[in-house]
Amino acid sequence: MTMVSAPLHSGHGFLTLDHVSVDFPIYEANARSLKARLAVIGSGGRIGITNTGGVSIEALQDISIDLRPGDRLALLGHNGAGKSTLLRVMAGIYEPVRGQVRHQGRVGSLFDLALGMEPDATGWENVMIRGLLAGMTRREVLARREEIGAFTDLGDYLSMPVRTYSSGMLLRLAFAVCTSSAPDILLMDEWLSVGDAAFVERAEARMQEIVDNAGIVVLASHSPELIARVCNRAMLLDHGKMVGVGPVAQMLELYRGAAPPLG
Amino acid sequence: MSATLPPAPSLARLAADDLRDGVLNPDLWLMLGWQDIRRRYRRSALGPFWLTLSMGAMIGGIGLVNSGLFNVGMGVLLPSMSLGIVVWTLISSSITDACMAFTGAEALIRQSRQPFSTYLLRLIWRNLIIFAHNMVIVVVVLAIWPPHGWWMLPLSLLGLALLLLNIGWICLLVGVVCTRFRDLPQIVTSVLQLLFFVTPIFWLPSQLAGLRKAIVDYNPLYHLLEVVRAPLLGAPVPALSWVWAVGMLVVGWALALYFFVSFRRRLPYWL
């Protein structure tokens, strides 16, 4: 994925997926071995494995969507439906095997609460780590330090090692840093559930701010209440395929009526 | 929908963006490199100096034995040996670390978007920090047995720059290929071990004569070592070593970039 330098839409962010497909190769031990591969080549295929993989899982098939400022998209689907993979494709982590992803604007992603955190380092030190990982410079993080600290509402805990933190506290820290970088496109995997009611309320308010600033929010969640409150569009995924895109209520209904989870 | 999209950027363009974005965001890799060091030595008072200490003891011991074995004065052998082992450690541990550059950063790569070059710069920076600690040994040795002159010191810095740029392409190449082929790290380690014994680190290149001289003359790592070491010993760098160092730089980067451009987008899938 790349930043499109020539603005297509008067300075606003956008996120477009055009017939995106993603396959994950499944390697057997031999296919990962250079020695095995060389034995095959060196012996003209007589020695060793002849089938070097070829097995792959289609994680996403032919996904297209066009997100514009103000769009708050919910990703719905059972475990393994492809929600997380789709979020990672939107974030530019996986470049699609087929199709294209284009975006404009700063992308903020929040997939793993403890990502990059040093358990023995303090909350403040981890604010710096996460800030740099979110694409800010050291100077930018320092400038926003106070504001980030205030939003976490963690007080003196920020001077404690984060290994003493609960998952709810990690969420506060991670969310505060991620959203303070003022992303135009905010991508979140389902974890908002670990926050307490008071924090979830503040988090929702901040997501609303991002949307009001001509931003885009994409949220994968299993919580119909959260989705109904936060989102105005929804996409239902099943086994990597797009079952439907539309208004939240309609998609939630389709989701409830959809086939039960795998197995 | 596709009609409204501008043409997709080329693979080469994306690879170049990756390298540029990594280099131009030093705050991130400087921090990651420091964190690696801090994590490794968090509970030790001496920190990376533990390595320096054991390396110093090794140089003292082997220097004593080898100067007797080879009948070479300590004043000749030790400066060359201490510089040799310190620079070699920078080269070999960078390459060894490069095997894990991407597989070791799996969580970061799968959960956040960063340039891949960031992870390479991080490991080179980390090894440079350890290198700086180890240079204390060289300073001590050169204080006891000073070189013939210091006028070539700037040349040594040029040599170090050349060495680091070469380490850059080696790490890029090794990092990409080791992510795909998981048995490669062991092969890399074995090759480095072999090279360690055929490179004049604990012995002097002048000790080889006849056909055996080819072992030194055609050893690429010897030349990379020599462009840093020779000027600090007050000796001229052999012209051949400059040619090798610059030649490797050009050919090596071309090769590494070819692999990076071709396989960069596959890296997250290989993890």
Side-chain angles (χ1 to χ4, degrees), chain B residues 184-241:
Chain B
L184 202 59
Q186 291 103 300
I187 301 175
V188 169
T189 313
S190 318
V191 170
L192 279 172
Q193 200 159 36
L194 175 70
L195 284 171
F196 174 72
F197 288 113
V198 299
T199 304
I201 295 165
F202 287 136
W203 44 279
L204 301 171
S206 56
Q207 289 174 306
L208 288 187
L211 269 182
R212 286 202 181 87
K213 237 179 107 41
I215 293 176
V216 171
D217 288 343
Y218 292 98
N219 179 343
L221 293 189
Y222 162 70
H223 297 294
L224 287 184
L225 171 61
E226 209 54 20
V227 293
V228 183
R229 177 165 70 175
L232 275 176
L233 298 175
V237 178
L240 188 64
S241 293

XYZ file of all heavy atoms in Angstrom, chain B residues 184-241:
455
model
N 18.650 -21.771 6.782
C 19.788 -20.965 6.360
C 20.604 -20.398 7.525
O 21.831 -20.335 7.428
C 19.298 -19.832 5.438
C 20.379 -19.258 4.536
C 20.962 -20.332 3.647
C 19.827 -18.126 3.703
N 19.975 -19.984 8.632
C 20.787 -19.439 9.738
C 21.919 -20.364 10.167
O 23.035 -19.905 10.393
C 19.763 -19.234 10.856
C 18.497 -18.947 10.132
C 18.546 -19.787 8.890
N 21.661 -21.684 10.239
C 22.741 -22.590 10.636
C 23.860 -22.576 9.599
O 25.031 -22.624 9.944
C 22.230 -24.035 10.770
C 21.293 -24.257 11.926
C 19.858 -24.335 11.469
O 19.343 -23.387 10.877
N 19.200 -25.452 11.712
N 23.470 -22.528 8.307
C 24.482 -22.507 7.251
C 25.322 -21.237 7.364
O 26.542 -21.260 7.274
C 23.807 -22.609 5.865
C 22.994 -23.908 5.775
C 24.836 -22.544 4.759
C 22.184 -24.057 4.504
N 24.639 -20.103 7.591
C 25.348 -18.826 7.723
C 26.336 -18.888 8.883
O 27.493 -18.469 8.764
C 24.337 -17.672 7.925
C 25.052 -16.386 8.322
C 23.529 -17.453 6.662
N 25.891 -19.453 10.005
C 26.768 -19.552 11.174
C 27.997 -20.395 10.862
O 29.119 -20.031 11.220
C 25.998 -20.170 12.360
O 24.734 -19.505 12.465
C 26.749 -19.995 13.653
N 27.794 -21.524 10.175
C 28.933 -22.386 9.841
C 29.917 -21.672 8.929
O 31.133 -21.756 9.116
C 28.468 -23.667 9.151
O 27.341 -24.172 9.771
N 29.372 -20.988 7.921
C 30.250 -20.290 6.978
C 31.054 -19.213 7.702
O 32.262 -19.057 7.486
C 29.419 -19.679 5.826
C 30.272 -18.750 4.977
C 28.819 -20.772 4.963
N 30.390 -18.479 8.600
C 31.090 -17.424 9.337
C 32.207 -18.012 10.195
O 33.282 -17.428 10.322
C 30.106 -16.652 10.215
C 29.299 -15.569 9.504
C 28.234 -15.005 10.422
C 30.217 -14.454 9.010
N 31.928 -19.179 10.769
C 32.930 -19.810 11.617
C 34.165 -20.202 10.794
O 35.295 -19.960 11.212
C 32.327 -21.052 12.263
C 33.072 -21.508 13.484
C 32.173 -22.373 14.342
O 31.359 -23.131 13.804
N 32.303 -22.262 15.643
N 33.905 -20.739 9.620
C 35.001 -21.114 8.734
C 35.803 -19.875 8.353
O 37.034 -19.854 8.419
C 34.439 -21.797 7.483
C 35.477 -22.133 6.408
C 36.366 -23.262 6.895
C 34.798 -22.531 5.106
N 35.090 -18.818 7.968
C 35.761 -17.582 7.555
C 36.600 -16.998 8.685
O 37.648 -16.413 8.469
C 34.726 -16.562 7.067
C 34.158 -16.840 5.676
C 33.001 -15.915 5.375
C 35.240 -16.672 4.625
N 36.105 -17.188 9.917
C 36.826 -16.670 11.076
C 38.230 -17.273 11.142
O 39.204 -16.581 11.425
C 36.043 -16.998 12.349
C 36.755 -16.651 13.614
C 36.911 -15.319 13.986
C 37.266 -17.631 14.442
C 37.559 -14.985 15.159
C 37.919 -17.296 15.619
C 38.067 -15.977 15.981
N 38.345 -18.575 10.825
C 39.643 -19.231 10.951
C 40.568 -18.932 9.776
O 41.780 -19.004 9.924
C 39.453 -20.745 11.118
C 38.904 -21.093 12.460
C 37.625 -21.623 12.603
C 39.649 -20.852 13.611
C 37.110 -21.925 13.851
C 39.145 -21.149 14.867
C 37.871 -21.688 14.996
N 40.001 -18.634 8.604
C 40.861 -18.354 7.457
C 41.103 -16.859 7.265
O 41.702 -16.438 6.291
C 40.305 -18.969 6.149
C 40.200 -20.483 6.271
C 38.970 -18.352 5.790
N 40.599 -16.047 8.190
C 40.841 -14.605 8.111
C 41.936 -14.244 9.119
O 41.908 -14.733 10.246
C 39.550 -13.829 8.435
O 38.525 -14.261 7.551
C 39.742 -12.335 8.271
N 42.882 -13.431 8.705
C 43.972 -13.096 9.626
C 43.505 -12.211 10.782
O 43.547 -10.978 10.689
C 44.994 -12.361 8.756
C 44.345 -12.104 7.466
C 43.078 -12.848 7.373
N 43.024 -12.858 11.818
C 42.593 -12.129 13.004
C 43.565 -12.433 14.131
O 44.180 -11.534 14.695
C 41.155 -12.534 13.388
C 40.187 -12.103 12.288
C 40.767 -11.905 14.726
C 38.833 -12.732 12.370
N 43.743 -13.719 14.415
C 44.681 -14.127 15.462
C 46.094 -14.327 14.914
O 46.991 -14.686 15.624
C 44.204 -15.419 16.137
C 43.029 -15.200 17.017
C 41.946 -16.063 17.020
C 42.991 -14.098 17.876
C 40.858 -15.843 17.840
C 41.902 -13.878 18.697
C 40.832 -14.750 18.675
N 46.237 -14.183 13.627
C 47.564 -14.301 13.001
C 47.717 -13.168 11.990
O 46.773 -12.411 11.740
C 47.732 -15.674 12.355
C 46.539 -16.155 11.576
C 45.422 -16.737 12.092
C 46.324 -16.055 10.172
N 44.531 -17.023 11.081
C 45.066 -16.622 9.904
C 47.082 -15.557 9.107
C 44.541 -16.688 8.608
C 46.563 -15.632 7.821
C 45.307 -16.195 7.579
N 48.944 -13.051 11.437
C 49.206 -11.925 10.533
C 49.193 -12.402 9.084
O 49.669 -13.497 8.782
C 50.580 -11.310 10.850
C 50.748 -10.796 12.281
C 52.205 -10.420 12.543
C 49.842 -9.601 12.521
N 48.632 -11.594 8.192
C 48.575 -12.009 6.776
C 49.962 -12.302 6.224
O 50.115 -13.154 5.346
C 47.932 -10.811 6.069
C 47.845 -9.714 7.067
C 47.999 -10.298 8.415
N 50.977 -11.608 6.743
C 52.335 -11.806 6.222
C 52.877 -13.197 6.541
O 53.898 -13.612 6.010
C 53.275 -10.744 6.806
O 53.224 -10.797 8.222
N 52.200 -13.933 7.425
C 52.681 -15.263 7.799
C 52.362 -16.309 6.747
O 52.852 -17.433 6.833
C 52.087 -15.684 9.150
C 52.671 -14.899 10.307
C 51.989 -15.220 11.614
O 50.769 -15.136 11.722
N 52.771 -15.579 12.612
N 51.489 -15.971 5.800
C 51.176 -16.926 4.736
C 52.015 -16.593 3.511
O 52.165 -15.434 3.136
C 49.689 -16.872 4.352
C 48.701 -17.454 5.355
C 47.315 -17.464 4.742
C 49.099 -18.858 5.761
N 52.543 -17.640 2.868
C 53.348 -17.420 1.669
C 52.886 -18.362 0.578
O 52.131 -19.300 0.831
C 54.827 -17.650 1.985
N 53.326 -18.088 -0.638
C 53.041 -18.977 -1.763
C 51.557 -19.028 -2.088
O 50.854 -18.025 -1.996
N 51.091 -20.212 -2.446
C 49.698 -20.376 -2.853
C 48.733 -20.042 -1.725
O 47.623 -19.578 -1.960
C 49.465 -21.832 -3.290
C 49.689 -22.107 -4.776
C 49.380 -23.570 -5.074
C 48.786 -21.203 -5.619
N 49.175 -20.282 -0.490
C 48.292 -20.029 0.659
C 47.908 -18.556 0.769
O 46.931 -18.228 1.423
C 48.980 -20.479 1.949
C 49.033 -21.987 2.114
C 49.199 -22.359 3.569
N 49.267 -23.812 3.722
C 50.414 -24.492 3.627
N 51.549 -23.851 3.405
N 50.410 -25.807 3.776
N 48.700 -17.696 0.139
C 48.380 -16.266 0.187
C 47.012 -15.985 -0.426
O 46.350 -15.007 -0.089
C 49.453 -15.476 -0.578
C 50.135 -14.408 0.281
C 51.199 -13.649 -0.482
C 50.777 -12.229 -0.822
N 50.070 -11.516 0.215
N 46.602 -16.897 -1.311
C 45.295 -16.727 -1.950
C 44.170 -16.744 -0.913
O 43.118 -16.117 -1.093
C 45.078 -17.831 -2.986
N 44.400 -17.470 0.191
C 43.386 -17.544 1.246
C 43.065 -16.148 1.772
O 41.926 -15.827 2.093
C 43.890 -18.445 2.407
C 44.015 -19.893 1.926
C 42.975 -18.353 3.611
C 44.593 -20.816 2.972
N 44.109 -15.315 1.823
C 43.903 -13.948 2.276
C 43.414 -13.061 1.122
O 42.449 -12.316 1.249
C 45.201 -13.378 2.885
C 45.052 -11.897 3.163
C 45.543 -14.132 4.160
N 44.080 -13.194 -0.019
C 43.789 -12.286 -1.133
C 42.365 -12.412 -1.651
O 41.775 -11.444 -2.121
C 44.765 -12.558 -2.293
C 46.168 -12.059 -1.953
O 46.279 -11.245 -1.001
O 47.138 -12.474 -2.611
N 41.801 -13.619 -1.579
C 40.446 -13.801 -2.101
C 39.397 -13.933 -1.003
O 38.317 -14.444 -1.225
C 40.413 -15.029 -3.032
C 41.204 -14.803 -4.287
C 42.507 -15.276 -4.410
C 40.663 -14.058 -5.332
C 43.251 -15.029 -5.547
C 41.403 -13.821 -6.484
C 42.700 -14.302 -6.582
O 43.427 -14.044 -7.712
N 39.747 -13.465 0.185
C 38.807 -13.496 1.298
C 38.142 -12.125 1.416
O 38.757 -11.159 1.852
C 39.578 -13.845 2.575
C 38.698 -13.888 3.794
O 37.580 -13.368 3.771
N 39.188 -14.490 4.853
N 36.892 -12.018 1.006
C 36.244 -10.696 0.991
C 36.189 -10.053 2.383
O 36.347 -8.835 2.502
C 34.839 -10.971 0.458
C 34.648 -12.443 0.526
C 35.999 -13.081 0.537
N 35.980 -10.871 3.397
C 35.873 -10.282 4.730
C 37.218 -9.743 5.218
O 37.275 -8.805 6.001
C 35.293 -11.302 5.722
C 33.846 -11.687 5.456
C 33.303 -12.526 6.596
C 32.977 -10.457 5.265
N 38.310 -10.358 4.737
C 39.632 -9.830 5.089
C 39.765 -8.390 4.600
O 40.249 -7.514 5.311
C 40.745 -10.693 4.497
C 42.077 -9.991 4.442
C 42.764 -9.712 5.622
C 42.624 -9.560 3.233
C 43.979 -9.035 5.580
C 43.828 -8.880 3.188
C 44.505 -8.607 4.363
O 45.686 -7.928 4.324
N 39.305 -8.150 3.380
C 39.454 -6.808 2.809
C 38.578 -5.799 3.548
O 38.986 -4.664 3.785
C 39.127 -6.833 1.321
C 40.065 -7.696 0.526
N 41.398 -7.399 0.379
C 39.879 -8.882 -0.100
C 41.998 -8.338 -0.333
N 41.092 -9.255 -0.640
N 37.386 -6.241 3.944
C 36.517 -5.337 4.710
C 37.158 -5.010 6.061
O 37.055 -3.893 6.561
C 35.146 -5.990 4.932
C 34.233 -6.071 3.719
C 32.879 -6.648 4.117
C 34.059 -4.702 3.084
N 37.790 -6.013 6.632
C 38.470 -5.821 7.913
C 39.652 -4.863 7.743
O 39.860 -3.950 8.552
C 38.945 -7.190 8.416
C 39.862 -7.271 9.628
C 39.172 -6.692 10.838
C 40.234 -8.725 9.893
N 40.388 -5.068 6.665
C 41.638 -4.340 6.477
C 41.420 -2.836 6.255
O 42.238 -2.032 6.696
C 42.405 -4.952 5.295
C 43.909 -4.835 5.361
C 44.529 -5.372 6.649
O 43.871 -6.166 7.351
O 45.665 -4.975 6.958
N 40.323 -2.450 5.600
C 40.123 -1.009 5.350
C 39.873 -0.259 6.655
O 40.044 0.960 6.716
C 38.981 -0.720 4.344
C 39.346 -1.217 2.960
C 37.665 -1.308 4.807
N 39.461 -0.960 7.702
C 39.297 -0.307 9.001
C 40.574 -0.457 9.824
O 41.032 0.472 10.474
C 38.116 -0.912 9.786
C 37.905 -0.174 11.100
C 36.847 -0.883 8.964
N 41.169 -1.657 9.752
C 42.270 -1.977 10.660
C 43.594 -1.321 10.266
O 44.254 -0.717 11.107
C 42.445 -3.497 10.716
C 43.621 -3.923 11.584
C 43.555 -5.375 11.918
N 43.819 -6.230 10.762
C 43.916 -7.562 10.831
N 43.780 -8.160 12.001
N 44.137 -8.278 9.764
N 43.969 -1.457 8.998
C 45.294 -0.995 8.580
C 45.570 0.469 8.945
O 46.610 0.767 9.527
C 45.487 -1.241 7.086
N 44.639 1.397 8.643
C 44.941 2.798 8.970
C 45.155 3.013 10.462
O 45.994 3.820 10.852
C 43.704 3.557 8.489
C 43.004 2.655 7.562
C 43.320 1.269 7.999
N 44.448 2.282 11.301
C 44.605 2.450 12.749
C 45.935 1.884 13.233
O 46.420 2.250 14.297
C 43.444 1.773 13.490
C 42.195 2.622 13.638
C 41.091 1.833 14.293
C 42.500 3.860 14.468
N 46.513 0.975 12.449
C 47.819 0.435 12.808
C 48.932 1.285 12.200
O 50.105 0.952 12.306
C 47.950 -1.018 12.317
C 46.959 -2.012 12.918
C 47.110 -3.382 12.279
C 47.157 -2.106 14.424
N 48.522 2.374 11.529
C 49.501 3.253 10.912
C 50.080 2.684 9.637
O 51.107 3.129 9.157
N 49.404 1.676 9.089
C 49.895 1.059 7.860
C 49.007 1.479 6.692
O 47.835 1.767 6.888
C 49.876 -0.464 7.998
N 49.560 1.530 5.490
C 48.717 1.857 4.340
C 47.767 0.706 4.039
O 48.116 -0.455 4.233
C 49.720 2.054 3.202
C 50.924 1.277 3.618
C 50.959 1.300 5.109
N 46.556 1.050 3.591
C 45.612 0.005 3.194
C 46.028 -0.512 1.823
O 46.250 0.284 0.915
C 44.171 0.570 3.123
C 43.204 -0.496 2.660
C 43.759 1.144 4.457
N 46.159 -1.839 1.658
C 46.496 -2.359 0.326
C 45.454 -1.904 -0.697
O 44.259 -1.912 -0.409
C 46.431 -3.876 0.516
C 46.500 -4.103 1.994
C 45.950 -2.893 2.648
N 45.931 -1.495 -1.868
C 45.012 -1.009 -2.906
C 43.961 -2.063 -3.224
O 42.791 -1.761 -3.454
C 45.799 -0.639 -4.159
N 44.404 -3.335 -3.180
C 43.500 -4.435 -3.480
C 42.292 -4.426 -2.537
O 41.158 -4.703 -2.936
C 44.268 -5.762 -3.350
C 43.549 -7.032 -3.802
C 43.276 -6.983 -5.291
C 44.382 -8.257 -3.447
N 42.527 -4.074 -1.271
C 41.435 -4.070 -0.295
C 40.410 -2.991 -0.607
O 39.201 -3.200 -0.468
C 41.995 -3.878 1.112
O 42.758 -4.984 1.491
